[in-house]
Amino acid sequence: MRRRDFLAAAAGVAAVVANPASALAATGQRPGAATLPDLDLGDYPVVARVRARKALEHLKVLSDRIGPRIGGTESEHRARDYLVRELRSLRYQVSTQPFTVPDKYLAQIGQWQAGASRFGSLGVTVTAPFIEVVDGQLPDLTGKIAFYVNAPAGSAHVHAAIERGAVAVVLGRISSTANKSSAFSPALDRDVTVPVVGLAQVHTEKLRAQGSGQLTISTTHHPNLTSYNVIAERPATFPWRDNGVVMVTAHYDSVPGSPGANDDGSGTVLCLELARVLRYLPTHKALRFALWGSEEQGLLGSRHYVSQLSAEEIARIKGVFQNDMVATSHDPATAYWLLSVDGADNTTTQQVRAAAQRLGYDPRVHGPVARGSSDHVPFHEKGMASANFSWRGEGGPAQLEPIYHTPEDTIRDNISLERLQVSLELIGSAAYRLATQR
């Protein structure tokens, strides 16, 4: 950082502390906190400035305007371009890291995105009346779309419908538990000559309630795909000694059919807002924000990133704060979980716990407990301090909101500004504290 920027950063810290309004905002009771905060000097410029509502403006673009962001497809690339523009506007050093990902098989049923079977007809559009096939009855389906709800496992029902003249097959699932079913790409035992698609529960219920009418189904095969990680960095303000790197991360893709507001648009916009707040604050370590592509296909982006790190680069990374699902409005999700792969404390969980104590959030914070299933895993496997941070139910970190991975993961149905604000304050304070340590 240039001397002018360093002086601006120092002045910014002093201004927050000296300004009575800012100081009052930072020292007042935090949203949902059990006690008044007892802040360190370094907490003030973070807590007084992070704003969930500013992060929400980014989420409107990602979740409402772009919608489902499927790894390697044009929708994910639109999100990538938005993230690059925003981070460059904050004067970070921004790069993209490409990597290949598996083909995708998607479908549209009107305005609904679904999964398409790779064994069915692809690149076609079919318009026809639909009929629900129930109780083992199999009427004449000539020129019709066969609609099954919770069909038995296997391919027999699909083949039987095609033999009776069906021009397409729609498979829907309605879960017997509180957790709703997501869109899926049906597996078959052999190729068929008509489209076969898998519909999410909310759309299955709407189609069943509709009862009859015309459907238009389009299927698409997306081959030769490239996904991207977006990496943004600013150096330490004291560059004469290398004290390492602090990373704040999230994944920006989503599953088919889901706008991914909480999973993981929330973590993504947390990174953008913290990048804004931390960009000029003085640190002894570099700050690196990483937004992963194609997490939903098996942590592909973070695994690729870690695979490219040299031993020297691995040694420089002092902590990875992964943020996955940090703003759900699901009522029972009152616990903020510290999730390390092995359940052990490490630098990141210690820093977040300490931040929770300073800010008065400690009773809401649980863990660390053992939990993988997010982008902290590849870093842990290489010995780097890392953890995932997320709002879940009090009963345990596996207690997710029922609309997880569904079309209902929207801002309206699944985002709490209060929980997003708490997440911003905890991760911002923890990451900044680590970055200022010598």
Side-chain angles (χ1 to χ4, degrees), residues 60-395:
K60 289 176 181 177
V61 175
L62 295 173
S63 183
D64 288 351
R65 193 183 307 171
I66 298 175
R69 303 171 297 281
I70 314 306
T73 69
E74 187 272 340
S75 61
E76 191 195 52
H77 296 169
R78 288 176 61 200
R80 172 206 62 196
D81 293 345
Y82 177 78
L83 298 172
V84 169
R85 286 196 301 271
E86 291 301 309
L87 289 164
R88 283 182 176 159
S89 73
L90 296 173
R91 299 180 64 185
Y92 281 82
Q93 301 167 1
V94 182
S95 62
T96 58
Q97 185 182 47
F99 55 97
T100 59
V101 295
D103 293 5
K104 301 296 185 299
Y105 304 89
L106 303 176
Q108 286 290 136
I109 300 181
Q111 298 301 309
W112 305 336
Q113 187 180 69
S117 175
R118 67 184 180 88
F119 301 94
S121 182
L122 298 166
V124 300
T125 298
V126 173
T127 300
F130 74 92
I131 182 171
E132 183 177 350
V133 180
V134 296
D135 299 327
Q137 302 172 8
L138 197 60
D140 180 14
L141 295 170
T142 301
K144 296 183 175 64
I145 296 170
F147 172 43
Y148 289 88
V149 179
N150 291 347
S155 305
H157 50 285
V158 174
H159 298 311
I162 295 170
E163 289 172 0
R164 294 289 289 169
V167 295
V169 179
V170 175
L171 305 176
R173 294 172 177 165
I174 296 179
S175 174
S176 60
T177 70
N179 296 323
K180 295 190 176 184
S181 302
S182 58
F184 63 102
S185 296
L188 303 176
D189 58 1
R190 63 182 184 273
D191 290 343
V192 297
T193 58
V194 306
V196 180
V197 303
L199 201 57
Q201 178 167 329
V202 62
H203 297 148
T204 299
E205 292 169 341
K206 288 181 179 180
L207 197 59
R208 172 175 268 182
Q210 181 179 325
S212 62
Q214 296 276 113
L215 285 183
T216 296
I217 298 174
S218 298
T219 58
T220 307
H221 173 207
H222 298 268
N224 306 316
L225 296 179
T226 300
S227 186
Y228 294 83
N229 295 325
V230 178
I231 313 297
E233 183 162 342
R234 46 137 288 199
T237 51
F238 306 101
W240 52 86
R241 178 181 174 187
D242 187 354
N243 283 287
V245 177
V246 173
M247 295 187 66
V248 181
T249 66
H251 73 88
Y252 69 97
D253 65 313
S254 70
V255 299
S258 177
N262 188 44
D263 185 18
D264 185 28
S266 63
T268 300
V269 302
L270 176 146
C271 289
L272 290 177
E273 173 63 358
L274 290 184
R276 179 188 71 84
V277 169
L278 299 178
R279 57 181 168 164
Y280 291 142
L281 296 184
T283 64
H284 286 281
K285 297 180 179 69
L287 288 171
R288 183 179 300 161
F289 294 89
L291 300 167
W292 313 118
S294 294
E295 184 269 356
E296 299 290 3
Q297 285 73 56
L299 317 182
L300 298 185
S302 56
R303 288 198 178 280
H304 176 77
Y305 178 83
V306 171
S307 74
Q308 303 301 301
L309 294 175
S310 67
E312 292 76 14
E313 290 169 327
I314 289 173
R316 290 191 69 228
I317 296 174
K318 305 305 180 184
V320 180
F321 297 84
Q322 167 67 17
N323 303 275
D324 198 345
M325 305 172 66
V326 297
T328 180
S329 59
H330 180 50
D331 284 344
T334 57
Y336 185 85
W337 287 92
L338 316 179
L339 307 173
S340 61
V341 174
D342 57 3
D345 233 351
N346 63 50
T347 301
T348 61
T349 56
Q350 291 166 359
Q351 289 290 352
V352 173
R353 170 69 72 181
Q357 292 170 346
R358 298 194 303 273
L359 272 64
Y361 291 128
D362 194 44
R364 306 185 75 176
V365 174
H366 295 236
V369 298
R371 180 81 175 180
S373 304
S374 193
D375 291 302
H376 60 307
V377 175
F379 293 91
H380 170 83
E381 291 171 346
K382 291 292 186 179
M384 288 169 274
S386 62
N388 180 39
F389 302 93
S390 181
W391 288 100
R392 314 282 178 97
E394 295 279 349

Side-chain angles (χ1 to χ4, degrees), residues 4 43 215 421:
R4 181 180 63 189
D43 295 325
L215 285 183
Q421 181 69 27

